[in-house]
Amino acid sequence: MADDLERPGGDAEPEAPPHAAPPSIWPFAFALGIAVALIGLIISWPIAAIGGAIALVFGFLWIRDATREVRGTPSPAPPARDDEAVELEDETAARYPRSVFLEGATLGIGALIGGIVTVPALGFAVLPAFVDQAYDAVDLGPLDNFPEGEWRITKFKSVADEPEDVSRRTAYVRNNGTLDGQASFTIISNRCVHLGCPVQPQGLTAEEVTEIDAESGPVEITATEPSGFVCPCHGGAYDIEGNRTAGPPVRALDRYAYSIMDGRLVLGEPYSVGSVEGEGAEAQITAYKIADPGVHVDGLEQYFYPYVP
Amino acid sequence: MEALVLAPVNWLEERSGIVGAISYFLFRKVPRGTNWFHTLGSATLTAFIVQLVTGVVLAMYYVPDPDRAWDSINWITNELTLGWLVRGTHRWGASVFIILLFLHMGRVFLFGAYKYPRELNWLIGVAILLLAMLEGFTGYLLPWDQTAYWATVVGININATAPIAGPFIADFLRGGTEIGADTLSRFYAMHMLLVPGALIGLITLHLYLVIRLGVTPPPWGEDAEPDEPSPNGRPRGAREGLVDPKPRGNGGPAITTRSGVEE
Ligand code: HEM
Ligand code: FES
């Protein structure tokens, strides 16, 4: 039985070839297009468009190749509707109207019940992460704790009703004096804009810590004299205004909006920064709505991410 | 004596057919040349089952609460009898599982076992691989120590850099714009319910297809796929009856290959 490849008696039957797409070179070009598009998304939009176009063209060619067999078989012409056929058809259709109805009803009611259960559950799983997201205002205490021209490390509770371990955040605060009669502060978030590790001030930090029991939670204030900020994770480095000077981060450090109420410094929403020119009160900041670390904010991306609906 | 043993087996078989099904599965024919590399899939399955069992036991003591998660892990490791063993098995087993997945996938790739008619099983495998990595990622946060926390911060932010969908994926993973108490609970729910459930479903489909299609012989040896197409146009190694234009009964366990298995 050495070359008994076929079933006994198989000779008589016509053999169907496997239903597999014929070999095609297009998938390679298609994959190349996808790769170019992805790289383009990161480095430049025109390249992404070129990649997308390549993928589209060769994807089309590939699909055309792969479906040739299917499309090639002409669909059988509808049988001539002579009387006999019509009669037969009517007969089949009319034979079990009730079973057809029951089948439809079972499927329909099943789908309805499934939908009623699934849709709210899915919504509950996904939506809370996106809607009603807001940043609580944080009281950082009396202005006396922030002498003009000096940096302070502030640690505070960012969300009122979450355990402290989870919601403790750090920001670097500098009192810039006044600009046009208004108090000016630079408040830099310690979240590295590479991938989110906590950036550290470069320079001496005082040992003494001022603790305040503010309404929004406890605040710790420590004096420091940084010459810039560095990240422990992958060596990202920033200058004193938060501009990137080295390493993988893609933009300047995020900042916090602020207000002054009853002589106390109050932290507002964080926002992202493309770059900063100038220093202190005079600094020109290109501000964008808060974005995740690693995301560029000054290109097309700013329109692409409707961040908090 | 024999009758005594067989009685319950027969009782079961008569009412469920399960014994026949199992023996069909265990004694099904495999192509000549099937070798140790073909055991990598079962090894992966074993690793997965180990994760399931140890995971269920850990869940009896672990507390997914930001204030207590770390303490409960500490308690499991240092105080509870044999806790160190079960936790250690789950932690090291996670790496073993992922490594075996890749080895199994490499075997399938190098043997060309992803080709017709097994493309679908490759695709299912890819979904399994992605879910397995999600399982690893969500599990890593649970000890709630510094490594876990910052690795998750960085991991979520890597997701956030994906084009278009990135920030949404990140928000979904965090359960908001910032990592918080919700993040830990949802990672726990994904890690112990959502992802394992999906994995069990996909593995079932995967094994169903393995049994239905049979395994691919290695690219060397007698049963290997020759360069010219097989005379009857059927792929070799596939169980006969599947690609037959005319279905024949239940397909039957017989395999006809070049080496000739009696019908
Ligand atoms: C939980 C994970 C997985 C389990 C438990 C599993 C289990 C198995 C088992 C038991 C087999 C039988 C043959 C063998 O052991 O080599 C098999 C075959 C196969 N697996 Fe997996 N597998 C997993 C993941 C994957 C992945 C990640 C891929 C590829 C992306 C994949 C692709 C395949 C294919 C194409 C076959 C058919 C191989 C053949 O016909 O020789 N599997 N799998
Ligand atoms: S997270 Fe700061 S450099 Fe990577």
Side-chain angles (χ1 to χ4, degrees), chain A residues 1-2 4-5 7 15 18-20 41 125 129-130 133 135 162-163 166 169 195-198 292-294 304-305 307, chain B residues 66 116 150 153-154 157 161 163-164 167-168 171-172 174 176-181 186 232-234 240 244 248 257-258:
Chain A
M1 303 242 307
D4 181 22
L5 248 160
R7 250 175 327 112
E15 296 286 356
H19 295 280
L41 279 175
F130 296 96
Q133 295 293 340
Y135 290 88
E162 270 204 10
V166 192
R169 297 285 180 273
L195 291 172
C197 286
D292 279 303
F304 256 67
Y305 302 126
Y307 194 61
Chain B
Y116 177 86
W150 290 108
V153 166
V154 167
N157 286 328
T161 61
I164 318 293
F168 300 103
D171 272 7
F172 173 74
R174 280 188 296 245
T177 49
E178 299 266 348
I179 289 201
R186 66 171 43 218
N232 62 358
R234 275 203 290 265
E240 193 172 357
D244 199 317
R248 51 202 282 272
T257 60
R258 198 201 289 280

Side-chain angles (χ1 to χ4, degrees), chain A:
Chain A
M1 303 242 307
D3 61 352
D4 181 22
L5 248 160
E6 289 154 334
R7 250 175 327 112
D11 320 44
E13 296 170 22
E15 296 286 356
H19 295 280
S24 163
I25 193 77
W26 303 136
F28 290 102
F30 174 72
L32 188 82
I34 297 282
V36 170
L38 289 181
I39 293 171
L41 279 175
I42 296 163
I43 57 176
S44 127
W45 287 91
I47 294 183
I50 294 173
I54 296 178
L56 259 178
V57 170
F58 289 104
F60 173 75
L61 289 176
W62 181 16
I63 291 175
R64 208 186 54 169
D65 252 21
T67 56
R68 179 156 292 149
E69 191 193 343
V70 191
R71 286 178 299 116
T73 5
S75 50
R81 289 181 58 103
D82 53 69
D83 291 344
E84 201 188 328
V86 171
E87 212 171 276
L88 251 175
E89 210 172 81
D90 287 351
E91 208 178 295
T92 357
R95 201 178 292 152
Y96 301 122
R98 191 180 325 187
S99 80
V100 171
F101 169 76
L102 285 177
E103 183 186 322
T106 311
L107 289 179
I109 295 176
L112 189 71
I113 296 177
I116 288 175
V117 177
T118 319
V119 171
L122 258 183
F124 180 50
V126 174
L127 290 181
F130 296 96
V131 296
D132 289 340
Q133 295 293 340
Y135 290 88
D136 296 354
V138 179
D139 182 0
L140 291 185
L143 290 180
D144 319 340
N145 290 317
F146 302 96
E148 187 171 332
E150 292 184 22
W151 282 95
R152 291 291 180 269
I153 303 171
T154 59
K155 293 186 196 291
F156 51 87
K157 204 164 164 261
S158 64
V159 186
D161 49 12
E162 270 204 10
E164 203 191 320
D165 276 350
V166 192
S167 61
R168 193 164 54 230
R169 297 285 180 273
T170 300
Y172 303 114
V173 180
R174 182 185 57 199
N175 183 345
N176 299 325
T178 51
L179 180 68
D180 305 333
Q182 293 229 318
S184 163
F185 283 85
T186 297
I187 307 182
I188 291 183
S189 158
N190 81 331
R191 185 180 72 160
C192 181
V193 289
H194 175 224
L195 291 172
C197 286
V199 296
Q200 309 294 325
Q202 275 292 83
L204 292 177
T205 296
E207 274 172 23
E208 169 199 340
V209 179
T210 315
E211 288 178 31
I212 302 172
D213 228 348
E215 212 177 298
S216 53
V219 183
E220 287 178 14
I221 301 178
T222 317
T224 184
E225 286 176 20
S227 58
F229 303 94
V230 290
C231 178
C233 287
H234 320 99
Y238 306 86
D239 69 14
I240 198 69
E241 292 294 330
N243 282 309
R244 184 197 83 109
T245 52
V250 296
R251 55 178 204 246
L253 285 170
D254 294 341
R255 295 187 175 212
Y256 282 94
Y258 59 88
S259 58
I260 289 159
M261 273 152 75
D262 305 333
R264 299 170 82 91
L265 181 60
V266 177
L267 217 56
E269 300 220 329
Y271 59 93
S272 290
V273 177
S275 62
V276 183
E277 268 173 47
E279 269 186 28
E282 310 279 311
Q284 298 291 315
I285 303 160
T286 47
Y288 301 90
K289 61 180 178 274
I290 184 79
D292 279 303
V295 178
H296 292 266
V297 287
D298 42 11
L300 269 177
E301 291 88 346
Q302 53 182 302
Y303 310 107
F304 256 67
Y305 302 126
Y307 194 61
V308 179

Side-chain angles (χ1 to χ4, degrees), chain B residues 37-42 44-45 48 97 101 104-105 107-108 113-114 118 121-122 125-126 128-129 199 203 206-207 210 214-216:
Chain B
F37 291 114
H38 288 86
T39 61
L40 285 168
S42 316
T44 316
L45 180 62
F48 181 67
F97 175 51
L101 266 178
H104 168 57
M105 191 169 148
R107 180 314 262 169
V108 169
Y114 53 85
R118 301 187 181 83
N121 224 13
W122 176 267
V126 170
I128 291 178
L129 184 67
L199 274 174
I203 290 173
H206 194 73
L207 294 182
V210 167
V215 293
T216 311

